[in-house]
Every structure is written in structure tokens, then in C-alpha cells.
Amino acid sequence: MIEILKGNIFTTNRQVIVNNINCVGVMGAGIALECRLRYPEMFLKYQALCQEKNIDIGKLWIYKAEHRWILNFPTKKHWKYPSKVDYLHAGLEKFMATYKERNIESIAFPLLGADRGGIAPEESLNIMLSYLQHADIPVDIYQYDPKASDDLYQKVHNWLKSKTIDEIMTLTGLRRNYVESVCSAMESGKIYQLNQLANVKGIGIKTIEKVFEISRKKHEQISLF
């Protein structure tokens, strides 16, 4: 029931996607940043839950969007600190004990605590398999591919290409240097996913959010006609 894949987890057709999170309300990189952009309402709720001290290791939180559920899985106490294997064990034990009562029918995991978490990918995979092999639902485990296609990135890229710098400035309220930095990065051929813009000097998360917010609204308005 387990398939190990390399690519973009957001292309999965599974009911649930797992999102690595910390316990302090920050989604600033990787899958977490993609989730922040794709599900801004979830991000606000997540921040509130962290402020209320309701996000912690071993506690899982499901956010049910219209077409996809996001299972938020704490792999760090604080975004500054590394993940620990104990955190993976705690969350996976909770998942195995509760996924049926939560009506989870299929799920896609990233390698928990790997990449920015600091846990070796092989160690993360082995821990995950030790639990997930006992699940009786389809499970995908995604190994991150930084060059995998991203539908979200492509939509924003196409929207930006259809506008002049001045038009983008007017629509987003961003200063020229920020808009030029985003456009330059997206035309560089080195960016494949929207979250990667956060690694470009001169581009902050708020800028990425603003560009995506406006481009999404314009896309939705066009789709209505």
C-alpha cells in the first residue's frame, strides 16, 4: 500500500497531504510555505493555534480545504532548531492510532524532518516505513525534487508575463525593485516552484504572498466568465 515517489507532493491525487510544521506559527520555507500560499486561511488558523499553545509534538491537526485535506504534522519545536527522531515517532504513533476515526482514506507524506529538519532522508524513511507499512490505506511518500513542476508557480509565472512592471506595481502595491526582483528570478530558469523564490536575495515572503494573492484573484475572476 506504500509507494515511494520523487517529485512534487502537490501533484498527488491522494485525499490528504502532510505538511511539516513547527510549534511557533512560522511557515517560511518548503512545503510549509507552499501550504501557506495555497491555503492562507489555514495559515492564519495555524498561527492562532500556536499562540494558544495548541500545537505541539505528537499532536496532529487536519485542515479541510474544499478539494484537499492538509494534515499538519509537527516535526520541530521551533523553526530555528532541528527536528528530532522522537518527534517523528510521536506523530506517527498518533497518526496510526487515529487515521481511521479521522476518515483518512489515502495520504501523501513528505520525508518527515528531512531537508531543513536535519534528519537524514534514509533515517526518516526507515522510521516512516516502520509505522506506515501497517496502514491499510494507500500511502505515498515523496522525496523532494527541486526541479519538479509546480502548477501554482506556472499560474503565477503566466500572470506576471502577461503584465508590465507598472501594471504589476499598481495591482499589488509593491515597489518597483520588489516586482523587478520577482520577475527577474522567474525568468532566470532557476526557479521551478513558488516557495523557491524565498531563497532569492531581495524577495521576502510577504512579497511572494502579495504577488500570489493578486494573481490568484485575477485568475479566479477570469475563470468566472
Side-chain angles (χ1 to χ4, degrees):
M1 300 289 282
I2 297 178
E3 189 169 2
I4 300 173
L5 306 165
K6 186 174 183 179
N8 182 347
I9 196 171
F10 291 97
T11 64
T12 185
N13 60 3
R14 300 307 184 197
Q15 173 200 20
V16 181
I17 286 178
V18 176
N19 178 30
N20 287 305
I21 61 171
N22 55 64
C23 303
V24 294
V26 176
M27 291 185 178
I31 291 174
L33 178 54
E34 289 278 350
C35 284
R36 173 176 172 173
L37 295 170
R38 292 168 185 264
Y39 308 103
E41 297 85 1
M42 183 192 78
F43 176 63
L44 294 175
K45 179 63 175 176
Y46 160 67
Q47 287 186 308
L49 288 171
C50 287
Q51 291 172 358
E52 296 162 2
K53 307 298 183 184
N54 286 323
I55 297 291
D56 202 356
I57 301 301
K59 290 185 177 181
L60 307 180
W61 168 49
I62 293 180
Y63 178 83
K64 297 181 179 180
E66 185 176 358
H67 302 295
R68 174 70 51 74
W69 294 2
I70 305 298
L71 178 64
N72 292 281
F73 188 120
T75 58
K76 288 184 174 187
K77 281 281 191 178
H78 195 290
W79 65 268
K80 293 182 179 179
Y81 306 138
S83 301
K84 295 183 179 181
V85 295
D86 289 348
Y87 301 168
L88 273 57
H89 285 290
L92 287 164
E93 286 177 5
K94 184 70 170 181
F95 172 76
M96 292 301 298
T98 59
Y99 76 89
K100 289 184 179 180
E101 67 185 67
R102 298 298 181 185
N103 298 315
I104 295 175
E105 299 175 353
S106 64
I107 192 165
F109 280 84
L111 286 175
L112 296 170
D115 191 22
R116 292 172 177 82
I119 296 175
E122 298 81 6
E123 184 174 15
S124 173
L125 180 59
N126 287 335
I127 293 171
M128 293 174 68
L129 290 174
S130 70
Y131 289 90
L132 298 175
Q133 65 180 327
H134 301 295
D136 58 3
I137 59 173
V139 176
D140 291 346
I141 298 177
Y142 274 81
Q143 298 173 325
Y144 177 60
D145 180 358
K147 293 187 176 181
S149 60
D150 177 2
D151 62 322
L152 179 62
Y153 169 81
Q154 197 57 53
K155 287 178 182 178
V156 175
H157 190 192
N158 291 342
W159 180 80
L160 287 172
K161 288 177 69 174
S162 73
K163 305 295 180 186
T164 66
I165 296 294
D166 287 339
E167 287 174 329
I168 298 169
M169 289 171 57
T170 299
L171 290 167
T172 63
L174 293 170
R175 291 188 294 187
R176 179 176 294 275
N177 60 318
Y178 293 146
V179 174
E180 289 178 342
S181 293
V182 171
C183 292
S184 176
M186 296 183 90
E187 292 299 329
S188 69
K190 299 178 181 179
I191 302 295
Y192 301 90
Q193 298 155 23
L194 205 57
N195 74 84
Q196 293 170 351
L197 287 171
N199 299 323
V200 178
K201 185 178 180 180
I203 301 178
I205 293 174
K206 292 294 185 181
T207 297
I208 302 171
E209 280 185 317
K210 194 66 176 179
V211 170
F212 174 61
E213 176 189 6
I214 299 300
S215 67
R216 182 177 63 175
K217 286 181 178 178
K218 296 300 177 182
H219 177 77
E220 289 173 348
Q221 290 171 4
I222 292 171
S223 299
L224 292 173
F225 289 90

